[in-house]
Each structure stands twice: as structure tokens, then as C-alpha cells.
Amino acid sequence: MNETQLTTTDRPNPFALTTFDKVKELATKAGVPVSQRLDEAQGVLQALQVNSGRAMPTPISDSAVRLMDRIQAAADGTAPMGMATGIPGLDRMIGGGFKGGKQIIVAARPSVGKSSFAEQLALNLACAGYPVGFFSQEMTNDELTDRATANLGRIELDNIISGRLADHEWDRLSEAMERFRNLPL
């Protein structure tokens, strides 16, 4: 068990909060190319990683006391809730949804739907009001947008790609575009 990691995530980290504010500011900075904003955000986040890794080991007895407090808070219903993924079975498997400060890695063989699954999670969280950044090294922005539009508009992806939408799908496309305007994605 890595005690250092447990203790650093149990307490609010003022440096992390400042870092996240800087990243949010960079994300909304007008007139700066996206590539430059991403480079700057990456540098800020790397500094957080370096500075957050410096914690002293603690005795397991301290962790046991915190464990009892967490269990009691969960039993009382006062524990912070996770961010629901939109997939109840997954939420149960990961202890109530995504928790802040955690990195989730989706891994599998090629062409089994990792990107589609990750994009679905991102859409679900964004639709629930959580700000989400989605980065793909496999799919272009247009491909991601096509898939998200098909998902939100309940339209066959092939129809979006081919441009052969049925009459009722044009209305759904308009609804999907309107939903995009308000998503923190």
C-alpha cells in the first residue's frame, strides 16, 4: 500500500486548486491558439505532479483512523458523492462514480470500442454539468463530433457521415446542436 499517495489525496491541496484555476483560465483564454493553450496547461499540470509527489510517509494507524471516518461518513450519507458515469453498474464497480483527483485509464485490444466508451463517459459527465476535456490521439475532431452528434441526436452515425438524414433526423440534428452549445465539453 502506498501511504504517501493516500495521504496526499485525503487533504485539499492549495497548490492543486491554484493549478486547476490556471488551467481553467488557459482553457478560456481568447485569441490564443489551442495548441499553445494545451502546451501551457500541460506545463502547469506537470508542475503540480512534481510538487504533489513530495509527502512524508505516515503510519498505517493514521490511515486506519481515516478509514473509519470515511466508512462512518458513507454510512451517515455525508460522504462526498462521486460523479455518476451514467452507467449504474460501472458506478457500483468503481465505488459510486468518478472521484476527483483520480486518473482513469481505459485499456483493451485495438478496435474494441475504447474511444467510443470514453467519449460516452465524457458526454454523460458533460450532460450532468461536469466540465470535461476529451483528448484523442486516434480520432480526428470531426470524427469525434460526428459520433457525439449521433449520440446526442439519436441519429445513425452512417446517416451523419453520408449526409443522408431522414426528415425527422434533421430536427434531431438541430436539437443535438443546441445541446452542444450548453455542454461544458
Side-chain angles (χ1 to χ4, degrees):
M1 178 183 294
N2 183 341
E3 285 301 306
T4 302
Q5 189 173 8
L6 283 177
T7 58
T8 59
T9 59
D10 287 346
R11 292 181 235 119
N13 180 337
F15 185 69
L17 296 176
T18 302
T19 299
F20 297 140
D21 286 340
K22 286 180 186 176
V23 170
K24 182 178 177 183
E25 180 182 316
L26 287 168
T28 57
K29 198 179 214 181
V32 178
V34 172
S35 59
Q36 182 180 338
R37 287 187 275 166
L38 286 173
D39 288 344
E40 290 178 29
Q42 183 178 11
V44 170
L45 290 170
Q46 285 176 338
L48 171 64
Q49 183 178 15
V50 168
N51 290 326
S52 293
R54 297 180 185 149
M56 296 300 294
T58 60
I60 191 71
S61 59
D62 291 353
S63 295
V65 170
R66 285 192 309 278
L67 170 65
M68 291 299 295
D69 291 342
R70 289 192 319 269
I71 291 171
Q72 187 63 54
D76 296 343
T78 59
M81 299 298 296
M83 294 173 276
T85 64
I87 305 171
L90 177 61
D91 290 340
R92 282 191 298 279
M93 290 172 61
I94 61 174
F98 292 140
K99 306 285 193 299
K102 303 294 180 191
Q103 180 179 18
I104 308 298
I105 298 172
V106 178
R109 295 186 327 262
S111 300
V112 295
K114 295 178 300 292
S115 294
S116 294
F117 175 65
E119 186 176 28
Q120 183 65 55
L121 294 175
L123 276 173
N124 290 351
L125 290 167
C127 286
Y130 296 105
V132 178
F134 188 85
F135 303 92
S136 176
Q137 295 179 339
E138 299 172 347
M139 299 172 73
T140 67
N141 189 44
D142 287 346
E143 290 172 314
L144 292 169
T145 303
D146 290 351
R147 289 172 177 269
T149 302
N151 184 323
L152 288 176
R154 302 169 325 280
I155 303 169
E156 291 290 328
L157 179 60
D158 292 342
N159 294 356
I160 288 179
I161 293 170
S162 69
R164 295 188 194 115
L165 276 67
D167 289 339
H168 70 280
E169 290 176 323
W170 284 103
D171 291 336
R172 290 181 179 179
L173 178 64
S174 294
E175 291 171 15
M177 294 294 100
E178 187 60 33
R179 288 185 70 188
F180 275 137
R181 287 152 82 30
N182 299 316
L183 286 181
L185 178 60

